[in-house]
Amino acid sequence: MESKLKEAAAAYKDWTKLVVFDGGAKVVHSTSKADTKELKNFLTAFDKREDTIGKGLVLDGEHYEIHRWSKDTTHGRRGTVGNMHGICLHKVTTDSKKDMYAVITWGGRATSARIVPELQEYSKKNIKPLTQRTQWKHKSSTPNPAVNWFPGMGFCGSFPR
């Protein structure tokens, strides 16, 4: 799973850091050393707009001011003109109804107008499909032994009609 996330992230050249973690702040993939305490603070970022904008976000010990907030995406920046660095936190609910989070940073001439949609696209294509089924090793681990999971096709088998 981590190698798939890493390969997909390689297409986004302007991202300087990427951390993907679950609702318990357990890191699934990271390109930097992720501090669990910092990640736990991210879990409440979508609870209350005023708190997130007021406190900002801290990643790798660096504080970012937050200026945009929605129900599943928040972003902001730190630095001065000519030396800006952005951050975006995106919450996505996987197909198995599990909350996952992705946070990225960027610098240089990249703008949030381009970077935020990139993270949303990355999350939709690579994080949203993550399910417990990707970790199942054999048929006996499926919830219903009469039903098999086929990637790209979903569940196939006999269902009562």
Side-chain angles (χ1 to χ4, degrees):
M1 174 174 22
E2 183 175 349
S3 63
K4 179 187 175 199
L5 295 173
K6 181 180 179 179
E7 288 173 22
Y12 303 99
K13 302 295 183 195
D14 289 320
W15 296 3
T16 54
K17 295 176 187 171
L18 166 66
V19 182
V20 178
F21 56 101
D22 67 13
K26 180 183 176 203
V27 176
V28 175
H29 171 71
S30 181
T31 60
S32 68
K33 189 173 192 269
D35 180 2
T36 306
K37 184 177 177 184
E38 288 177 350
L39 297 180
K40 284 183 179 179
N41 289 329
F42 288 7
L43 300 177
T44 60
F46 300 105
D47 292 347
K48 198 171 178 186
R49 178 185 185 274
E50 296 79 17
D51 291 348
T52 303
I53 289 181
K55 292 188 305 189
L57 296 174
V58 176
L59 182 65
D60 288 340
E62 297 171 326
H63 182 263
Y64 294 82
E65 299 292 332
I66 299 302
H67 57 270
R68 295 286 186 263
W69 185 93
S70 72
K71 65 180 172 89
D72 64 357
T73 306
T74 186
H75 60 93
R77 63 181 172 254
R78 69 174 183 82
T80 58
V81 175
N83 190 24
M84 287 288 189
H85 299 275
I87 190 169
C88 181
L89 173 65
H90 183 59
K91 177 181 178 180
V92 61
T93 303
T94 65
D95 291 339
S96 63
K97 307 296 183 220
K98 181 179 177 183
D99 286 339
M100 297 287 290
Y101 299 82
V103 61
I104 59 169
T105 62
W106 67 91
R109 295 181 161 267
T111 64
S112 59
R114 181 172 52 84
I115 298 292
V116 172
E118 285 181 355
L119 179 58
Q120 291 169 331
E121 174 189 48
Y122 173 84
S123 297
K124 182 178 179 182
K125 289 181 179 177
N126 301 289
I127 299 172
K128 188 175 184 339
L130 293 178
T131 65
Q132 185 177 1
R133 291 182 295 274
T134 61
Q135 298 172 7
W136 290 337
K137 301 293 183 205
H138 29 276
K139 290 180 186 177
S140 62
S141 299
T142 60
N144 180 349
V147 179
N148 295 315
W149 172 257
F150 294 95
M153 295 175 56
F155 284 111
C156 296
S158 57
F159 291 95
R161 296 194 193 265

